[in-house]
Amino acid sequence: MNPCHVCQEPTKNKCSNCNLVSYCSVQHQKQDWKTHKPSCHPFKIAHNEQLGRHLVATRTIKPYEIILKEAPLMRGPSQISAPVCLGCLNSIEADDHIDCSECGWPLCGPECKSLDEHKAECGLTKDRGDKVNVTEFNGPHPLYTCLSTVRCLLIGETSPEKASKFQELESLESTRRGSNQWKADLTSIGQFIPKFFKTQKFSEEEIMRAVGALQINGHEVPISDPPHVAVFYTASFVENSCLPNLAKSFNKNGHCILWAPREIKKNAHLSICYSDAVWGTADRQRHLMQTKLFKCACVRCVDVTELDTLYSAIKCEDRKCGGLMLPIKDDDWNGSWRCRECHKQVQKHYVERILERAGQDIHSMEKNVESGLKYLKHYEKWLPPQHYHMSEIKILLVQLLAKDQQELMVIPDDRLLLKLQFARELIELYEIIAPCEVRMLGTLCFELHSAIAEQTRRVALETSLSPKDRLEESLFYVDKCVNYLQYESDIFVEGHMLKQAKINRDALRMVTRIS
């Protein structure tokens, strides 16, 4: 029994959404809803020494359920940014912008001058006494390096509540202090802000803490071009896992949407991937150490086979063996590697030479079908078909092998089969090791659905056999596409794909019912 949140009477009834607050009656729940609604989520904020604050499910979360929609505390330009409009954060050109009449910062138009986002640096620049004069618009601009930090420092002037929440966020200042990145930030931001803005409003300690909080908690938000950075309060407590259970989407207003592609059991920790789940373990570990200052010990990172996919393995140096090589120690990707069949060992520099060359060749190759197929043929000597470099090329090929419906109808049969093969392989692989990479998975499911439908059309022209099984398979994958992309805004390519997928799904449902 718990006390009713309104009258304190003992009751067994709890809010069915968050499972945390009790009510003795429906009337009292309705009465309290306006107060309870902002904090009513299917999770609680927990704390331990290892993770600090983190989120734990308070009930079983259903597949496709949204667990959090949140507006940012602050948003601004990325630390490395070419000049952008300081209202909408979209790119601007030297001959197609206006300068703010009060501070001189470039804007894309008069409607962006009045946006709240611009008030922070506008006021600080006016107090400086001199307007900003941005004349170079090509490439990263040093003045923009500090702007998001300025916005963090000045949150309290427009919203004391947001400022209080921002102060709660982890900055890892003591860990960062003295590192090469910290020293660079001290010069380009910590010492630059007081000097450039001619202000003593902020101490060096305050500035560097804001820099750290921004870097540790910032999310890249792709609704602007280029993407901008934003800090969210509750979403900042979601822990990292390279096999996460939450997907992250953004609506057209830049609000963060966290949702569950699969069921999440009660008491499970909620997680997203702070790095890129399609990278191999060594690259993810390196990136997390550089940007978030910790070594990941999630279930995927401590398993050198990456859930038996051998996603990062290379072929044995002995060509006659046919086995695959992986690090000898699960937690040491910089040590020696050993073949799982013949137990032959090689030093890390042998592996690095292969992987560096393979990565460089992807970067420099022309992005067309012939170059992609040539790459796969060449690197099959060293890399197994499911390796992350090989998979990257296959993702490219799935999209290049018939880029639209017209091309799909005339693509040669052997190329259509290749598209089908690669799409199936990739979906099977990434649903194991990257189940929350929903934009990639949704796109692959759409491509596979389209290819199956085209193959069905060709078979139907040549035989009297019923194509129902093939149509049902096509429907299966377009259904998966809709599920994966259902929260994607129509400002993204995936949002437009979602609209077409729904049209195709409805048509296929009708056809399969008739046949």
Side-chain angles (χ1 to χ4, degrees):
M1 301 283 280
N2 295 292
C4 171
H5 200 58
V6 175
C7 69
Q8 305 303 309
E9 282 295 315
T11 178
K12 295 180 179 179
N13 302 319
K14 289 187 176 182
C15 171
S16 60
N17 185 48
C18 67
N19 208 31
L20 291 174
V21 178
S22 299
Y23 296 101
C24 66
S25 64
V26 173
Q27 289 76 15
H28 278 185
Q29 185 171 14
K30 288 181 178 179
Q31 178 183 329
D32 191 50
W33 178 238
K34 188 174 181 181
T35 302
H36 177 51
K37 182 180 178 180
S39 60
C40 184
H41 306 296
F43 58 79
K44 63 183 178 181
I45 299 176
H47 182 276
N48 65 33
E49 289 300 318
Q50 180 184 1
L51 297 171
R53 282 180 291 188
H54 56 282
L55 305 185
V56 176
T58 52
R59 60 169 172 82
T60 296
I61 296 170
K62 299 174 183 177
Y64 317 123
E65 183 179 346
I66 292 175
I67 67 120
L68 178 68
K69 282 185 180 178
E70 186 175 29
L73 295 177
M74 184 287 309
R75 65 180 199 135
S78 297
Q79 188 167 331
I80 300 175
S81 175
V84 296
C85 170
L86 293 183
C88 65
L89 300 174
N90 284 301
S91 61
I92 50 179
E93 303 293 335
D95 57 354
D96 187 21
H97 75 279
I98 66 168
D99 294 333
C100 176
S101 58
E102 297 184 42
C103 66
W105 286 103
L107 301 164
C108 63
E111 66 279 3
C112 286
K113 178 183 175 181
S114 59
L115 293 177
D116 286 342
E117 282 88 349
H118 177 50
K119 290 179 180 178
E121 65 275 355
C122 187
L124 196 62
T125 306
K126 284 192 294 183
D127 293 343
R128 170 180 182 255
D130 296 313
K131 290 183 178 181
V132 168
N133 182 27
V134 176
T135 58
E136 181 56 56
F137 288 81
N138 295 319
H141 197 293
L143 286 183
Y144 284 75
T145 301
C146 69
L147 284 180
S148 287
T149 302
V150 167
R151 291 185 174 188
C152 291
L153 291 165
L154 293 172
I155 288 178
E157 296 194 1
T158 54
S159 174
E161 180 185 0
K162 286 184 177 181
S164 177
K165 288 181 175 180
F166 183 79
Q167 289 301 317
E168 291 182 40
L169 300 181
E170 182 60 71
S171 68
L172 298 182
E173 173 61 15
S174 59
T175 305
R176 294 178 68 252
R177 181 173 289 273
S179 67
N180 290 336
Q181 182 63 56
W182 186 89
K183 291 175 182 176
D185 292 337
L186 178 63
T187 301
S188 61
I189 303 176
Q191 296 172 347
F192 179 80
I193 287 176
K195 183 178 179 181
F196 179 77
F197 288 100
K198 302 175 184 177
T199 181
Q200 299 300 317
K201 292 180 73 169
F202 322 109
S203 67
E204 183 180 289
E205 182 179 350
E206 287 177 304
I207 296 172
M208 294 307 292
R209 190 206 169 277
V211 172
L214 182 59
Q215 291 181 359
I216 297 300
N217 300 286
H219 293 254
E220 183 179 82
V221 182
I223 68 162
S224 58
D225 182 19
H228 63 269
V229 65
V231 174
F232 301 88
Y233 177 67
T234 305
S236 294
F237 302 141
V238 181
E239 67 192 76
N240 172 73
S241 172
C242 300
L243 190 68
N245 52 23
L246 294 178
K248 180 173 65 174
S249 299
F250 296 96
N251 65 18
K252 62 182 64 179
N253 296 317
H255 295 185
C256 179
I257 301 170
L258 297 180
W259 61 282
R262 298 178 180 177
E263 182 181 89
I264 301 174
K265 297 294 186 183
K266 181 180 178 179
N267 295 324
H269 287 211
L270 303 183
S271 58
I272 59 175
C273 185
Y274 292 4
S275 185
D276 191 329
V278 303
W279 290 352
T281 297
D283 290 334
R284 295 195 317 277
Q285 292 276 18
R286 189 180 306 112
H287 177 253
L288 288 170
M289 185 57 71
Q290 290 174 350
T291 60
K292 306 300 182 182
L293 306 180
F294 72 89
K295 183 175 182 178
C296 183
C298 71
V299 63
R300 182 178 168 193
C301 283
V302 299
D303 176 8
V304 74
T305 72
E306 298 186 66
L307 309 180
D308 294 325
T309 63
L310 304 172
Y311 189 58
S312 297
I314 67 170
K315 290 186 175 181
C316 182
E317 185 186 30
D318 184 350
R319 299 291 174 82
K320 296 178 182 179
C321 171
L324 296 178
M325 309 189 90
L326 281 168
I328 295 174
K329 296 181 179 179
D330 285 356
D331 61 348
D332 185 9
W333 288 80
N334 295 311
S336 298
W337 287 42
R338 180 170 58 204
C339 177
R340 292 160 59 84
E341 297 293 331
C342 71
H343 304 296
K344 180 181 178 62
Q345 294 188 24
V346 296
Q347 296 302 309
K348 182 61 167 64
H349 61 79
Y350 169 81
V351 180
E352 287 177 337
R353 283 201 306 270
I354 295 172
L355 297 182
E356 285 177 8
R357 188 171 70 247
Q360 289 167 0
D361 284 351
I362 290 177
H363 181 74
S364 61
M365 68 176 268
E366 292 185 27
K367 303 304 185 286
N368 57 48
V369 171
E370 299 308 322
S371 296
L373 293 174
K374 184 178 178 181
Y375 181 98
L376 293 179
K377 184 65 177 176
H378 178 69
Y379 277 101
E380 69 180 7
K381 304 182 189 72
W382 300 281
L383 306 178
Q386 73 279 12
H387 188 274
Y388 57 83
H389 281 322
M390 303 290 267
S391 296
E392 182 178 350
I393 295 298
K394 289 178 182 178
I395 292 171
L396 176 67
L397 287 171
V398 166
Q399 297 177 75
L400 290 178
L401 286 162
K403 289 178 281 189
D404 54 42
Q405 188 60 38
Q406 287 70 34
E407 288 187 15
L408 193 60
M409 294 180 70
V410 297
I411 188 175
D413 287 346
D414 61 332
R415 294 292 174 91
L416 179 61
L417 289 173
L418 208 55
K419 184 182 181 82
L420 287 162
Q421 175 193 334
F422 289 162
R424 284 194 173 99
E425 289 176 357
L426 291 165
I427 292 169
E428 181 180 0
L429 171 65
Y430 287 118
E431 284 189 334
I432 295 172
I433 61 168
C436 294
E437 290 298 306
V438 292
R439 282 170 287 282
M440 178 185 68
L441 284 167
T443 299
L444 288 170
C445 286
F446 186 85
E447 294 285 357
L448 180 53
H449 135 74
S450 301
I452 294 170
E454 173 56 24
Q455 188 184 47
T456 306
R457 184 188 71 83
R458 296 184 186 189
V459 170
L461 292 174
E462 299 173 0
T463 178
S464 59
L465 295 175
S466 170
K468 186 175 181 180
D469 288 348
R470 292 173 184 267
L471 289 174
E472 287 178 346
E473 185 185 16
S474 182
L475 175 58
F476 173 76
Y477 282 106
V478 78
D479 257 332
K480 293 184 80 164
C481 171
V482 171
N483 288 333
Y484 279 130
L485 300 182
Q486 61 185 298
Y487 299 119
E488 295 306 305
S489 168
D490 59 11
I491 65 174
F492 303 127
V493 171
E494 293 85 359
H496 290 285
M497 185 178 291
L498 172 64
K499 288 184 178 180
Q500 186 62 52
K502 288 179 177 179
I503 293 170
N504 295 4
R505 179 192 60 184
D506 293 344
L508 278 169
R509 283 176 175 173
M510 186 177 299
V511 170
T512 52
R513 279 198 297 267
I514 294 172
S515 58

